[in-house]
Amino acid sequence: MHTNSLQPLPSTELPPLQIVICVEGGMVSAVYASHPDCAVTVLDWDDAACDGPDYFPPRGFASRAACEAHLRQLILVG
């Protein structure tokens, strides 16, 4: 008899789930996810260009560079 050595992690040990949707010119340009069942953050690069550095902190990022570094860690899903 073969037993599966992989055991699911308790939900308290799983990292938070997240989806980021990038919008340019009023259209979604990309969707990134840490898992298919995630929270959604909408980023509008046009608004970010107009608002400058004030755009990112209310969305949970210190700066555009920090936001882009975070996106590189996620999976492009769309």
Side-chain angles (χ1 to χ4, degrees):
M1 181 170 134
H2 176 70
T3 59
N4 186 349
S5 61
L6 296 176
Q7 299 295 321
L9 291 172
S11 62
T12 58
E13 295 181 28
L14 295 174
L17 304 175
Q18 183 178 18
I19 291 176
V20 178
I21 300 170
C22 300
V23 177
E24 291 184 65
M27 299 187 65
V28 172
S29 60
V31 177
Y32 297 86
S34 61
H35 187 275
D37 184 19
C38 301
V40 175
T41 301
V42 175
L43 299 174
D44 187 328
W45 296 120
D46 297 326
D47 284 352
C50 292
D51 296 349
D54 294 335
Y55 179 82
F56 292 96
R59 288 157 184 83
F61 303 102
S63 65
R64 183 179 182 124
C67 177
E68 290 173 346
H70 182 72
L71 292 178
R72 287 191 294 274
Q73 296 175 28
L74 299 178
I75 301 164
L76 180 61
V77 296

